Amino acid sequence: MRLLPLLISTFVVFMLIPLYSIGQMQHVPLDSTQGLKISKTAPKPEIHLSFPNINKIPYYRDTKKLSTIQKLEKRKQYDQVLPLLESYVTSFGIQNFYKDTYLLWRLGQLFERTGRKEEAKELYRLVLKHHRTDARGVYSYYDSLEQNSKNYYVPLDYYYELVEYRKSVATFKPPKGVYLNMGNTINSPFEDYGPTINSENEVFIYTSKRNLQGLNGRANEDLYFSKQNNGYWEEAQSFGKPINSIYNEGSACLSRDGQTLYFARCESPDGYGNCDLYVAKMQPDGKWGDIKNLGPEVNSNAWDSQPTLSLNEDTLYFASDRLGGFGLSDIYYTYKTKNGSWASAQNLGPTINTRESEVSPFYHPKYQVLYFSSRGQLYNFGDFDIYKTYYVQGHWQEPRNIGPLVNGRGSEYYFTIDAGSKNLYYARSEANDIQNLDLYSFPLPMEAHPLAVTKVHGVLTDSITNKPLSGIVSIIDLDNGIEVSSKYLRPDGSFEFELIDNSRYLLLIQGPDFFTIEREISLRDDTSIQLMTTLIDYSIPMVFENIVFDQNQSDIKEEMKPILDEVALFLIDHPTFRLEIAGHTDSAGDKDFNLVLSQDRADAIKRYIMQRVSMADNRIDAIGYGSSKPIKEEKTAEDRKVNRRVEFRLIKPEKPERGF
């Protein structure tokens, strides 16, 4: 069985046609709603166009309507063009998406002109997903609209540098771990992939090419399983006959009761195409049997594989590279009819599928969330990335990349999650090497969690100018220990995270020009936060009102500690910066005593910071000046108070820090 369908694409120049020059147009249906359930844990519904002709007609064309639209455009009667063009576009069939993509673009322009920006952006996304061209001009235009709403993830290696810097900070809870190879009880020197796990998290099933006794001398793909014993996976075992055969078997999914197994078998004499979907039943003697091909309503004369069951087990999703789809391979689904048979397979629609390849769907065993792997969505970190999508009010929501903690520079496929949403399992390869597949497992990050749908939105601005600031935003999960990738502030100073409701989080915002902002959030529904801070002026030393010592004393007082903690945290967050502490006294008393006292005070502050956080001694200079550098002539007690001070000067590195 081929791991993936043939991955080829073509590129030509994408031309932005002026709004007045309309040519062919068409109409598109979304997927049928039969067999699809609305998720109770889904985010708020997005604005979507419906394309009811998907799965009904391959191509829509009405020359008379196109001519009318074109005439109205030439007269610039756009108020009349818009409803006609919207009706035409929503009549699209699948072929229209790549043959008449410019009509999507045109309708998006009209939506944008009339203030319907969310609908415009949806259409621009469809253009980018389906136009079989080099669409750099469209990407540039779309990015300009999305720059203050998209995610700017911190690169993964820098993210873990941030984690290391902050491990000594008491309020910070380091992440649980990074992805881990599942080891040689599961993996072999050959490709291992296609994981699934039963509803009790006790049996792990996957595909392997370790059997070298295949048909025509090729490596044979077979199904293997491992049982969990005291938290560890036992040595994997082959399913054996009759599931495994001289043909290729793999990509299985199991019913909740463990009695029904769906899987793919390739090059079998009873198959309809290259690979077909099959079902097997557990027999009374505990062995698998009654193996049946799902038939021509589900299978095609092409490649059909990678099945996954819906929550109610009445819908089966799978990948196929059959003709008539949007791209090189698409996600399809079939549902059980009233007589218990499977209905004709249908395409999942233009929001999920693209001109490229969508493969390895996975439906969460507890929550109604669909995950899949794609290289045709808008924001990929590598080749194939894993996405999640929710079905809300009759529409699949825009797929969300589950972030850099899962998706790397290589390819990620065959994603699966245990029923408790604690751990994920998936196959990954190094960049440009799909032959190097191993199975990995690690704690589920926040971006991949099915319940992470509650939004926290915020904006950080300068308290003086009200201008947006740049920096890095981190979220620490205080209740669940789920890792959340850090993000850069957007150009307008905003940020947004999707988190789990009814949980506590620590919000951290770090930047080179302000002290770190910390705020604890007890999340209850969508939350908006307006934050303001004062910029650090590196040209002058800082003097804090609370840093005042008792007379002739150098002991650190409790009221000093919050300010000193902020300084310490800043140095941790910015490991290339240095600090100079200057102690000063007034002119009263003995000069030599004052010099020693000022040095003692500067040293006391340095000791406190060094004890608070671990850092190299040479990053902090502590100097006592005594009364040698007054800033006011001492005529009054208030003048003497001003001169009794500690000055802090943060020294920037010559080169800017990474990431800011």
Side-chain angles (χ1 to χ4, degrees), residues 16-23 25 69-78 81 106 109-110 113:
L16 299 185
I17 304 171
L19 185 60
Y20 58 81
S21 64
I22 283 218
M25 305 186 171
I69 292 169
Q70 190 171 15
K71 288 176 182 177
L72 290 170
E73 282 210 323
K74 286 181 178 178
R75 298 174 192 155
K76 299 184 179 180
Q77 295 175 310
Y78 300 129
V81 172
R106 204 81 78 258
Q109 288 179 305
L110 287 174
R113 287 186 178 189

Side-chain angles (χ1 to χ4, degrees), residues 253-272:
C253 70
L254 197 62
S255 62
R256 283 194 305 275
D257 63 8
Q259 300 300 299
T260 306
L261 183 76
Y262 296 90
F263 65 100
R265 175 175 284 172
C266 302
E267 301 175 334
S268 175
D270 65 343
Y272 294 89

Side-chain angles (χ1 to χ4, degrees), residues 352-417:
I352 304 303
N353 293 313
T354 70
R355 69 182 181 277
E356 285 282 350
S357 295
E358 280 67 46
V359 293
S360 59
F362 165 72
Y363 206 98
H364 194 282
K366 186 175 180 182
Y367 305 108
Q368 299 186 61
V369 185
L370 181 68
Y371 299 82
F372 64 97
S373 182
S374 171
R375 71 175 189 181
Q377 301 295 327
L378 299 189
Y379 299 110
N380 274 33
F381 293 104
D383 189 13
F384 278 88
D385 278 4
I386 294 166
Y387 292 79
K388 70 175 180 179
T389 182
Y390 299 83
Y391 193 75
V392 182
Q393 295 184 2
H395 292 277
W396 286 105
Q397 304 293 281
E398 181 63 21
R400 303 154 191 230
N401 191 303
I402 63 173
L405 293 174
V406 175
N407 293 317
R409 287 175 291 183
S411 293
E412 287 73 36
Y413 313 100
Y414 301 109
F415 178 90
T416 194
I417 304 173

Side-chain angles (χ1 to χ4, degrees), residues 145-153 456-462 466-474 486-497 507 509 527-531:
L145 292 178
E146 285 284 274
Q147 63 177 337
N148 291 319
S149 58
K150 69 179 183 180
N151 292 318
Y152 296 87
Y153 283 107
V456 172
H457 177 273
V459 179
L460 178 64
T461 55
D462 175 24
N466 287 320
K467 291 183 177 179
L469 299 179
S470 61
I472 290 175
V473 190
S474 302
S486 297
K487 300 175 184 178
Y488 294 112
L489 290 168
R490 295 164 176 157
D492 65 352
S494 70
F495 60 89
E496 187 171 276
F497 289 86
L507 169 70
I509 306 180
T527 300
S528 184
I529 304 169
Q530 182 73 41
L531 298 165

Side-chain angles (χ1 to χ4, degrees), residues 65-99:
K65 288 182 180 179
L66 282 174
S67 177
T68 301
I69 292 169
Q70 190 171 15
K71 288 176 182 177
L72 290 170
E73 282 210 323
K74 286 181 178 178
R75 298 174 192 155
K76 299 184 179 180
Q77 295 175 310
Y78 300 129
D79 58 331
Q80 295 182 50
V81 172
L82 195 152
L84 294 177
L85 184 56
E86 182 176 0
S87 174
Y88 196 100
V89 166
T90 54
S91 299
F92 271 14
I94 288 177
Q95 292 180 16
N96 294 99
F97 279 84
Y98 56 84
K99 290 182 177 179

Side-chain angles (χ1 to χ4, degrees), residues 149-160:
S149 58
K150 69 179 183 180
N151 292 318
Y152 296 87
Y153 283 107
V154 172
L156 192 58
D157 55 349
Y158 188 40
Y159 168 79
Y160 281 112

